[in-house]
Amino acid sequence: MIRGFFRLIGLLLLAGGFVFMVYDGARWVADQSLHFTRFGQFWNDINQASQQAFRTWVESKAPWLWTSVVRLVLDQPVFAVLGVIGILLMLLFRPRKPLIGYGRD
């Protein structure tokens, strides 16, 4: 049950990544300049206070983590971040392979 829920979340994130890829592509066709929507900007547009709270939490636990890892993720395009997280969730929670020669009751 939980495995199916996380696969659904992964599929929705993958679909969201595809939507942002189409959005950035349509903007490229309209403007004739390639500008990707950054994940940090997208998060700011949704809820700026949560990003600030996350930043203070990360900096209180491990200050080096904000500058080396989190800032790198926030500077990536939204479609890449959502796509990678979605694919990882779908791979981690994929169904078990059937056992050969054993019956499952």
Side-chain angles (χ1 to χ4, degrees), residues 19-65:
V19 166
F20 271 97
M21 184 185 299
V22 170
Y23 173 73
D24 288 338
R27 201 167 52 174
W28 172 62
V29 169
D31 295 343
Q32 294 298 320
S33 63
L34 188 58
H35 296 288
F36 294 117
T37 307
R38 293 183 311 115
F39 186 67
Q41 184 62 39
F42 173 66
W43 192 358
N44 271 337
D45 292 344
I46 291 178
N47 190 353
Q48 189 173 9
S50 68
Q51 186 177 6
Q52 286 300 105
F54 181 71
R55 179 179 183 167
T56 57
W57 181 78
V58 168
E59 286 180 341
S60 70
K61 300 294 181 192
W64 58 270
L65 190 64

Side-chain angles (χ1 to χ4, degrees), residues 13-14 16-18 20-21 24 36-39 73 75-88:
L13 287 174
L14 195 59
F18 182 72
F20 271 97
M21 184 185 299
D24 288 338
F36 294 117
T37 307
R38 293 183 311 115
F39 186 67
V73 172
D75 288 337
Q76 300 306 313
V78 177
F79 73 87
V81 174
L82 293 181
V84 167
I85 294 172
I87 288 172
L88 283 176

